[in-house]
Amino acid sequence: WLVSMRQSVTIGVEAFCRSLSSLVQQSAPAQQVRMWLNLAIPRTLPPLGLLQEGLDSGECAEAERELEEAGGFLSEDEAEASGRKAPKSVLCFTGSLVRPELNGRYRLCEDMTSYHKPVYHKIVERQRSSTTAQNAGRGIKGTGKGRGAATGLATAAASAIWADYGEDEGETQDVIVVHYRRARQKEEGWYFSRKTCSGEDLAFNARIGHVPPATGWLAVRKESRMPDPLRIVDEARGGNSGGREASRVLSQIDVQRLRGRLIAPDGSEPAAEYFGHFCTLMHLEHLEELRQLRRRARRAPPELDGLECVNIYGRKSARTSDALGWEDPGSEMGSVALPPHINFERLRLKKGDSVWLFQSDGRGGITVGPRLDGTIADFKPVKGREPAQMVVKIRGAWPDNALECLWRVDRGANYTLYERQLQALLSLIVKPRTRICELLVVARVGSVDAWTQKYRGKGAVRQYNAKERLRDQASSRKMARAEPSGADGRRLRDALDEARELDHLNDSQKEAVKAAMRQTCSVVQGPPGTGKTHVSVQILKMWARNLGLSPLLATSDSNVAVDNIAMGLQAQGVKVLRVGRPEKVNTIIEDISLEAVLARDIAKAEEDAAAEEEAQEALRAQEGREAKEGKGRSSSSESSRSGESNLINGNRKGKGKGKGKGKKGKGITPKMRYEMQMKIMRSAEVICCTSIAAGGDFFAKFSFAGVLIDEAAQATELSAVVPLILRGTKRLVLVGDHCQLPPTVQSSEAEARGLSVSLYSRMIDGGGLPPHLLDTQYRSHPLLAAFSARAFYHGRLKSGISAAKRPAPSGFRWPREDVPLAFLEVTAEEQQDGDSKLNPCEADVIVELLRHVFADGELKVTDVGVVTPYLAQVRHLRRVARSIVPPSTDPMLLEIASVDNFQGREKELIIFSAVRSNRSGTVGFLADWRRLNVMLTRARRGLVVCGNSQTLRANEHWSAWLDFFRCAAAGEPLPRTPSPVRRQREVEQKAERERQKQEEEEAQAEAAAAERQGKRRGHSARRGSSSRRGSSPRRRSSSRQHRPAQRSHRTPSVVETSGVKRSISRRLSDALSDVEDSGIGGEGSRVDAESRWERDDKPAAAETEIDRGAAKNAALEALDKAWAISRANCARRPLAANDKDSSDMEFDSD
C-alpha cells in the first residue's frame, strides 16, 4: 500500500495512531515502524530511512533477523483469501505469551468440519497418570448438535489419534483443537479447546471467517479473557525468503512521497503538523530506548538472575476500551524470591521501575520463552522463614508454568511514559482545543537546538520564511498576552496592586509575578541563584489566595523540583498536597503527601467507628442492667431504642466488617478509599506532582485553573504538554533557564530533529514570547558569578550579595585572597571505560585536595560537592574517596555526581573534574556552553577545576574561561566575553543581511533583464517595419570583423576601447540578431533560447552566409557566459558616463 500510494491520498490521525500503536504493541521490526512514521513527518522536514545511522554490524544483522521473522506474518486479508481457495493442510501459530502451549504447527483434520469450517489439531506431550490416559479417549466426544455441528473427533477418532501417536502408562499426549463454534451457551467465533471441540477453552476470537483468524486472539485463563499476540505465520514466506521479500518491498518505497499525509478531524494543518512531528520524535526515542535495553541485556550481566516465582495473585481484567487502540491485556501480580542477605538500598532496581522478565537457565543466559513486561510494585523484607520478595505487576498474565521456572530480571522500557505522551498528542487533535493548546499549535515546530546543529554537525532544520515566522510569532504573542478567560477584573487589579507592594521581592521578581497574574501564558527565566523557586511559590500563592483559583497544579519533570516547590508552599501556609510514589517523595514533606493525609483520615474514621462501637456497647450494657433490675420499658421507648440501635449497626456495616483491634483499615473498601482520596485532592489549594503522573487516570476528573511548570527548559515538550492537554488549564507559567542544561535525549536522531528543544525554548524562539529575566543572583561569590553573567546572560545578571558574605573556604591555597577560584593543571591522558571515560590522575589530585579540606575542619562533608561530566569518573571517584572521609561519617554524604544530576543543587565548595585530556583537543559534550554554565554556578564560596588546559582551550568557551581565570588570578582587569547567544544572534543577523543583499541583487538583475528585453522587442519591431518597407534583415556573423561596423550603426554612444570591451547587448545581438531572448536573468535561459531558435522560420539562403549550428552554439555560449559574469562581477564595473541604461554595462571580453 505504501509503494503504490498516490500523491493525493491522506490518512486520518486516529487511524494512523491506531495502526502505529498496533505495530509497537506487537513489537514489529523497526524498519516497518519507521516507514509508517514517514506518513506523519511534515513535508518541510527530511524523511526517515529504513534504519538509523550509527548501528554496528551486529545490530544491523539483528534488525534483518527481526524483519525475516516478521516476513512470514499473515494479515487478516491474506489469511482469509488463502482459506477461501482451499484450507491449508498446516497452520503455524506463534507469539502467544499468556499460553505458550498454543504455539506450534496444527494439522488439518481432513475427515471432519465444524459448521462447514475446517478443524485443526495439535498433539502436545505431557506427563500424566495411567488413569488419566485410560479415560482420555472416553472424554473426547463430538458436539452432536444439528447437521452443521462438528462431526469429528468422536470417541473412535480420538482413539485412533491416541493409537497413532502412542500412549503408555507414563508419558502420553494431549490434543489442542482449533475450531469454529456456534452455540447458545457460548459466544460465536473461533476457539482453541483442549481435547475436544467442547472441552476447556484456551483462546477465543470473535472474528467470523472461513479459516482461523491470523490475529486478534484472546487467551482464556481463570474465566477471564486477555489479549494475546498469538498470530499465524506462513512458513513458506518466513525465514530468509520472507525477509528478502520484505526488504525488497521496503526498498521500493519512495519515502519522499510519504511525508505530510496526516489530516486532522477539523482540517487544521498546523495541528496535524504538530502531531506528526512530535509523534515521530517520541517513537524514535522509544525505539532507541528498546535498542539500548536489548544491547545492555546482551552485553551486561542481569540485574537479578535465577529467581523463583513463589506466588501469583491479583488478576485484574482488561479494560473495555482504549483510546489509543491498544489491546489491554489486564495485569497480574506475582512474587519472586530474592537472594538471601540482599541489601535493598544497594539494589539498583527500585519500586515503580519498569522491568523485563525472561525465563532463565540460572547462569545468566536466557532460555526460549516469552518476555514479560512488568513494573515493580513492592519489596517485602525477610519475614520468618519466608525469603525477601519482589512483587512484580505483569502486563498480561504469568505463564501457567511460571512457578516451575527460574526468572531473570532486567530493566525494561517505560511504557507508561510512552502511552501517556501518545494519548496527549491524540487528545490534542481529536478534542476541542483550549487557548493554551491552540498556542502550542500556532508556534510552528521543526526547529533544532543550535548547539546540536553547530557542534555535532547535524540537524534537520526547518527553513522558515521571514514573513511566516513573524506572523506566527505575532499570533503566539497575542494569545499568550491575552487576559485569561473567566478572570475577575476586580480581584485581578487588587492582586496586581499587592504584587507591587511585596517587599521581599526585587523589581524583576515583581514583574514576573505580575505577568503571571494578567497573562494567559508567561515565561520566567531564572538564572542560578536568582530565586526562581521563591517566585514560583509566590505566583501559586497569589493565584490561590488573591484570585481564588482552585485547584492549581505545580509540576516538573523531576521529583526534586516538585519537592522544592511543595516545601516552599508549605512554609508559606498554602494548603498543598504532594502526589506521587512515596519512595520518590522527600522525607521532609512526607506529612503533606497523599498517602500520609489518607492514612490520617482513615485513622480518624477508625477512631470514630471505635467510639461509635463503644457507645453501642455502653447502650447495650445499660439496657441489660435496666432489664435485670426489673424496670420495664414502654413499647414505644423499646421501639425507639431498637430503631436507634439498628441505625448504629447499619452505619457500622456500611463501613465494612472486621473493625477492631488488630484489623486496622480493614473496614475501608477500595471504593471508599478512592472517594476519600478524591475528597482530599479537591480540598487542596495546590497539587504537586510530576508532569507524567498528572496524565494518569487518577487525575481524570480534574481540570486545573492554573499550571506552573518548573525547570521547564530541562524537560522535553512531550513530557511538559501531558498535563496541559490531558487535564487542561486556563493559565500557564513556564519557569526555567534555557542557558542551562537542555532535556536529556537518548536518540541522536530524535535530537537532530528537535526533541532536545523544550517547550520553554520553543515558546521563546518560535512563539516570540520574551522571558521575564530574574536579574539578581544571591548564591555565589560575585567573582564566581561574573563569568556566567558576562558570557551567558549579556551582562544583565547582577550580584545581590557581597564578597564579604562569601569568604573563600580554608584548607586550600587560593591564587589570591579575594579570588575563590582555582585551576589545577593535570596533563595525564584520559582512559576509556566502556561507553564512558575516566581520568585516574585527576581523581588522585581531587582525593588529595579533599584530604586537606577535611583536615582543616571548616567545611563538613555535606558542604563539599565533586562534579564531573562522565559516569565512569563518578564511579571511580566514589571508590577512591571513601578512604578520606572523616571517621564516623557516612561516605554516602560526600556527594559525587554528574553535571546533569547536580543541576539545581549548590555547595559551599565545588570541585570539578574535566576528565578530557588528549592530544587531539577533543572535549566531547564539554563543548556545550550550557554544561559549563551549570558547573560554574553550583559553588557558593569556592570553585576548583582540574583539567588539561591545552585540551580545554580547543573549545572557545573553555578558552574564554581560562583567560578569565588568568586575569582574575593575576589581579588584571577581567576580559569582556560576548555571550554565545549574542554571537549566535550576530551570526543570524549577518546571514539575514547577506540574504537581503542577495535578494536585492537578484531583483536588480531581473529589472535589468526586463528592461533589456523591452529594448530588444522595440528594436525587433523597428527592424520588422523596415523589412516590410523592403529592407531585409541580415544575420550577422559572430566574427570580430563584423562587430565594429554593427556597433557604430546601432549605438554610437558606446565607445570601444582597443577592441577589448564590448557591451552584453551588442554581443547578444551579434549572435542572435533579431531572435528574442526572454531567458536572460532566469534559470531557464538555455531552454528558452533553444526553444525560440527551433521555432524560427528557416532563413533564405541569400540572407545568411553562416552555419546555423555554429550561430546557435555561439549564441548559447554568449548567454551562459554573460549571465555568469553579470552575477559575479556586476558590482565591479560601473556604468560609463555616456551610458544611457544598464543594458550597455561593459565587461572584459574574457
Side-chain angles (χ1 to χ4, degrees), residues 207-219:
R207 297 172 183 172
I208 300 174
H210 189 68
V211 293
T215 58
W217 290 92
L218 301 174

mmCIF file with all atom_site columns, all heavy atoms in Angstrom, residues 207-219:
data_model
loop_
_atom_site.group_PDB
_atom_site.id
_atom_site.type_symbol
_atom_site.label_atom_id
_atom_site.label_alt_id
_atom_site.label_comp_id
_atom_site.label_asym_id
_atom_site.label_entity_id
_atom_site.label_seq_id
_atom_site.pdbx_PDB_ins_code
_atom_site.Cartn_x
_atom_site.Cartn_y
_atom_site.Cartn_z
_atom_site.occupancy
_atom_site.B_iso_or_equiv
_atom_site.pdbx_formal_charge
_atom_site.auth_seq_id
_atom_site.auth_comp_id
_atom_site.auth_asym_id
_atom_site.auth_atom_id
_atom_site.pdbx_PDB_model_num
ATOM 1  N N   . ARG A 1 207 ? -13.846 -12.927 15.504 1.00 0.00 ? 207 ARG A N   1
ATOM 2  C CA  . ARG A 1 207 ? -13.922 -12.669 14.070 1.00 0.00 ? 207 ARG A CA  1
ATOM 3  C C   . ARG A 1 207 ? -14.495 -13.891 13.354 1.00 0.00 ? 207 ARG A C   1
ATOM 4  O O   . ARG A 1 207 ? -14.081 -15.018 13.607 1.00 0.00 ? 207 ARG A O   1
ATOM 5  C CB  . ARG A 1 207 ? -12.556 -12.302 13.514 1.00 0.00 ? 207 ARG A CB  1
ATOM 6  C CG  . ARG A 1 207 ? -12.007 -11.009 14.127 1.00 0.00 ? 207 ARG A CG  1
ATOM 7  C CD  . ARG A 1 207 ? -10.576 -10.754 13.714 1.00 0.00 ? 207 ARG A CD  1
ATOM 8  N NE  . ARG A 1 207 ? -10.052 -9.559  14.372 1.00 0.00 ? 207 ARG A NE  1
ATOM 9  C CZ  . ARG A 1 207 ? -8.781  -9.174  14.323 1.00 0.00 ? 207 ARG A CZ  1
ATOM 10 N NH1 . ARG A 1 207 ? -7.902  -9.897  13.651 1.00 0.00 ? 207 ARG A NH1 1
ATOM 11 N NH2 . ARG A 1 207 ? -8.395  -8.076  14.953 1.00 0.00 ? 207 ARG A NH2 1
ATOM 12 N N   . ILE A 1 208 ? -15.395 -13.634 12.434 1.00 0.00 ? 208 ILE A N   1
ATOM 13 C CA  . ILE A 1 208 ? -16.058 -14.703 11.699 1.00 0.00 ? 208 ILE A CA  1
ATOM 14 C C   . ILE A 1 208 ? -15.460 -14.773 10.305 1.00 0.00 ? 208 ILE A C   1
ATOM 15 O O   . ILE A 1 208 ? -15.532 -13.818 9.535  1.00 0.00 ? 208 ILE A O   1
ATOM 16 C CB  . ILE A 1 208 ? -17.582 -14.458 11.620 1.00 0.00 ? 208 ILE A CB  1
ATOM 17 C CG1 . ILE A 1 208 ? -18.165 -14.397 13.032 1.00 0.00 ? 208 ILE A CG1 1
ATOM 18 C CG2 . ILE A 1 208 ? -18.258 -15.546 10.810 1.00 0.00 ? 208 ILE A CG2 1
ATOM 19 C CD1 . ILE A 1 208 ? -19.619 -14.028 13.061 1.00 0.00 ? 208 ILE A CD1 1
ATOM 20 N N   . GLY A 1 209 ? -14.848 -15.886 9.984  1.00 0.00 ? 209 GLY A N   1
ATOM 21 C CA  . GLY A 1 209 ? -14.253 -16.082 8.672  1.00 0.00 ? 209 GLY A CA  1
ATOM 22 C C   . GLY A 1 209 ? -14.253 -17.540 8.291  1.00 0.00 ? 209 GLY A C   1
ATOM 23 O O   . GLY A 1 209 ? -14.662 -18.422 9.068  1.00 0.00 ? 209 GLY A O   1
ATOM 24 N N   . HIS A 1 210 ? -13.774 -17.819 7.084  1.00 0.00 ? 210 HIS A N   1
ATOM 25 C CA  . HIS A 1 210 ? -13.771 -19.195 6.608  1.00 0.00 ? 210 HIS A CA  1
ATOM 26 C C   . HIS A 1 210 ? -12.656 -20.016 7.241  1.00 0.00 ? 210 HIS A C   1
ATOM 27 O O   . HIS A 1 210 ? -12.757 -21.242 7.319  1.00 0.00 ? 210 HIS A O   1
ATOM 28 C CB  . HIS A 1 210 ? -13.626 -19.209 5.091  1.00 0.00 ? 210 HIS A CB  1
ATOM 29 C CG  . HIS A 1 210 ? -13.825 -20.572 4.485  1.00 0.00 ? 210 HIS A CG  1
ATOM 30 N ND1 . HIS A 1 210 ? -15.056 -21.212 4.471  1.00 0.00 ? 210 HIS A ND1 1
ATOM 31 C CD2 . HIS A 1 210 ? -12.943 -21.435 3.898  1.00 0.00 ? 210 HIS A CD2 1
ATOM 32 C CE1 . HIS A 1 210 ? -14.928 -22.390 3.885  1.00 0.00 ? 210 HIS A CE1 1
ATOM 33 N NE2 . HIS A 1 210 ? -13.664 -22.554 3.541  1.00 0.00 ? 210 HIS A NE2 1
ATOM 34 N N   . VAL A 1 211 ? -11.583 -19.340 7.693  1.00 0.00 ? 211 VAL A N   1
ATOM 35 C CA  . VAL A 1 211 ? -10.448 -20.022 8.312  1.00 0.00 ? 211 VAL A CA  1
ATOM 36 C C   . VAL A 1 211 ? -10.133 -19.323 9.629  1.00 0.00 ? 211 VAL A C   1
ATOM 37 O O   . VAL A 1 211 ? -10.611 -18.215 9.894  1.00 0.00 ? 211 VAL A O   1
ATOM 38 C CB  . VAL A 1 211 ? -9.214  -20.002 7.380  1.00 0.00 ? 211 VAL A CB  1
ATOM 39 C CG1 . VAL A 1 211 ? -9.463  -20.841 6.148  1.00 0.00 ? 211 VAL A CG1 1
ATOM 40 C CG2 . VAL A 1 211 ? -8.858  -18.580 6.987  1.00 0.00 ? 211 VAL A CG2 1
ATOM 41 N N   . PRO A 1 212 ? -9.324  -19.913 10.491 1.00 0.00 ? 212 PRO A N   1
ATOM 42 C CA  . PRO A 1 212 ? -8.946  -19.258 11.743 1.00 0.00 ? 212 PRO A CA  1
ATOM 43 C C   . PRO A 1 212 ? -8.304  -17.892 11.499 1.00 0.00 ? 212 PRO A C   1
ATOM 44 O O   . PRO A 1 212 ? -7.461  -17.752 10.592 1.00 0.00 ? 212 PRO A O   1
ATOM 45 C CB  . PRO A 1 212 ? -7.958  -20.242 12.389 1.00 0.00 ? 212 PRO A CB  1
ATOM 46 C CG  . PRO A 1 212 ? -8.348  -21.573 11.832 1.00 0.00 ? 212 PRO A CG  1
ATOM 47 C CD  . PRO A 1 212 ? -8.796  -21.301 10.427 1.00 0.00 ? 212 PRO A CD  1
ATOM 48 N N   . PRO A 1 213 ? -8.676  -16.864 12.265 1.00 0.00 ? 213 PRO A N   1
ATOM 49 C CA  . PRO A 1 213 ? -8.106  -15.521 12.066 1.00 0.00 ? 213 PRO A CA  1
ATOM 50 C C   . PRO A 1 213 ? -6.606  -15.509 12.327 1.00 0.00 ? 213 PRO A C   1
ATOM 51 O O   . PRO A 1 213 ? -6.084  -16.286 13.129 1.00 0.00 ? 213 PRO A O   1
ATOM 52 C CB  . PRO A 1 213 ? -8.865  -14.659 13.082 1.00 0.00 ? 213 PRO A CB  1
ATOM 53 C CG  . PRO A 1 213 ? -10.084 -15.456 13.433 1.00 0.00 ? 213 PRO A CG  1
ATOM 54 C CD  . PRO A 1 213 ? -9.699  -16.886 13.308 1.00 0.00 ? 213 PRO A CD  1
ATOM 55 N N   . ALA A 1 214 ? -5.919  -14.592 11.639 1.00 0.00 ? 214 ALA A N   1
ATOM 56 C CA  . ALA A 1 214 ? -4.468  -14.506 11.782 1.00 0.00 ? 214 ALA A CA  1
ATOM 57 C C   . ALA A 1 214 ? -4.061  -13.816 13.072 1.00 0.00 ? 214 ALA A C   1
ATOM 58 O O   . ALA A 1 214 ? -3.041  -14.147 13.661 1.00 0.00 ? 214 ALA A O   1
ATOM 59 C CB  . ALA A 1 214 ? -3.867  -13.772 10.583 1.00 0.00 ? 214 ALA A CB  1
ATOM 60 N N   . THR A 1 215 ? -4.839  -12.838 13.544 1.00 0.00 ? 215 THR A N   1
ATOM 61 C CA  . THR A 1 215 ? -4.510  -12.088 14.759 1.00 0.00 ? 215 THR A CA  1
ATOM 62 C C   . THR A 1 215 ? -5.796  -11.838 15.542 1.00 0.00 ? 215 THR A C   1
ATOM 63 O O   . THR A 1 215 ? -6.881  -12.256 15.143 1.00 0.00 ? 215 THR A O   1
ATOM 64 C CB  . THR A 1 215 ? -3.851  -10.735 14.424 1.00 0.00 ? 215 THR A CB  1
ATOM 65 O OG1 . THR A 1 215 ? -4.741  -9.982  13.582 1.00 0.00 ? 215 THR A OG1 1
ATOM 66 C CG2 . THR A 1 215 ? -2.524  -10.935 13.699 1.00 0.00 ? 215 THR A CG2 1
ATOM 67 N N   . GLY A 1 216 ? -5.657  -11.121 16.655 1.00 0.00 ? 216 GLY A N   1
ATOM 68 C CA  . GLY A 1 216 ? -6.820  -10.719 17.442 1.00 0.00 ? 216 GLY A CA  1
ATOM 69 C C   . GLY A 1 216 ? -7.316  -11.763 18.413 1.00 0.00 ? 216 GLY A C   1
ATOM 70 O O   . GLY A 1 216 ? -8.493  -11.749 18.791 1.00 0.00 ? 216 GLY A O   1
ATOM 71 N N   . TRP A 1 217 ? -6.452  -12.661 18.891 1.00 0.00 ? 217 TRP A N   1
ATOM 72 C CA  . TRP A 1 217 ? -6.879  -13.732 19.795 1.00 0.00 ? 217 TRP A CA  1
ATOM 73 C C   . TRP A 1 217 ? -6.887  -13.255 21.238 1.00 0.00 ? 217 TRP A C   1
ATOM 74 O O   . TRP A 1 217 ? -6.081  -12.418 21.637 1.00 0.00 ? 217 TRP A O   1
ATOM 75 C CB  . TRP A 1 217 ? -5.945  -14.934 19.648 1.00 0.00 ? 217 TRP A CB  1
ATOM 76 C CG  . TRP A 1 217 ? -6.104  -15.639 18.334 1.00 0.00 ? 217 TRP A CG  1
ATOM 77 C CD1 . TRP A 1 217 ? -5.414  -15.407 17.188 1.00 0.00 ? 217 TRP A CD1 1
ATOM 78 C CD2 . TRP A 1 217 ? -7.042  -16.681 18.055 1.00 0.00 ? 217 TRP A CD2 1
ATOM 79 N NE1 . TRP A 1 217 ? -5.850  -16.237 16.192 1.00 0.00 ? 217 TRP A NE1 1
ATOM 80 C CE2 . TRP A 1 217 ? -6.853  -17.037 16.688 1.00 0.00 ? 217 TRP A CE2 1
ATOM 81 C CE3 . TRP A 1 217 ? -8.009  -17.352 18.791 1.00 0.00 ? 217 TRP A CE3 1
ATOM 82 C CZ2 . TRP A 1 217 ? -7.595  -18.026 16.069 1.00 0.00 ? 217 TRP A CZ2 1
ATOM 83 C CZ3 . TRP A 1 217 ? -8.757  -18.343 18.181 1.00 0.00 ? 217 TRP A CZ3 1
ATOM 84 C CH2 . TRP A 1 217 ? -8.549  -18.665 16.827 1.00 0.00 ? 217 TRP A CH2 1
ATOM 85 N N   . LEU A 1 218 ? -7.827  -13.799 22.005 1.00 0.00 ? 218 LEU A N   1
ATOM 86 C CA  . LEU A 1 218 ? -7.934  -13.546 23.435 1.00 0.00 ? 218 LEU A CA  1
ATOM 87 C C   . LEU A 1 218 ? -7.675  -14.852 24.178 1.00 0.00 ? 218 LEU A C   1
ATOM 88 O O   . LEU A 1 218 ? -8.411  -15.833 24.004 1.00 0.00 ? 218 LEU A O   1
ATOM 89 C CB  . LEU A 1 218 ? -9.320  -13.013 23.805 1.00 0.00 ? 218 LEU A CB  1
ATOM 90 C CG  . LEU A 1 218 ? -9.766  -11.713 23.135 1.00 0.00 ? 218 LEU A CG  1
ATOM 91 C CD1 . LEU A 1 218 ? -11.216 -11.409 23.493 1.00 0.00 ? 218 LEU A CD1 1
ATOM 92 C CD2 . LEU A 1 218 ? -8.876  -10.568 23.550 1.00 0.00 ? 218 LEU A CD2 1
ATOM 93 N N   . ALA A 1 219 ? -6.617  -14.872 24.988 1.00 0.00 ? 219 ALA A N   1
ATOM 94 C CA  . ALA A 1 219 ? -6.326  -16.069 25.779 1.00 0.00 ? 219 ALA A CA  1
ATOM 95 C C   . ALA A 1 219 ? -7.293  -16.142 26.957 1.00 0.00 ? 219 ALA A C   1
ATOM 96 O O   . ALA A 1 219 ? -7.685  -15.127 27.530 1.00 0.00 ? 219 ALA A O   1
ATOM 97 C CB  . ALA A 1 219 ? -4.887  -16.037 26.283 1.00 0.00 ? 219 ALA A CB  1
#
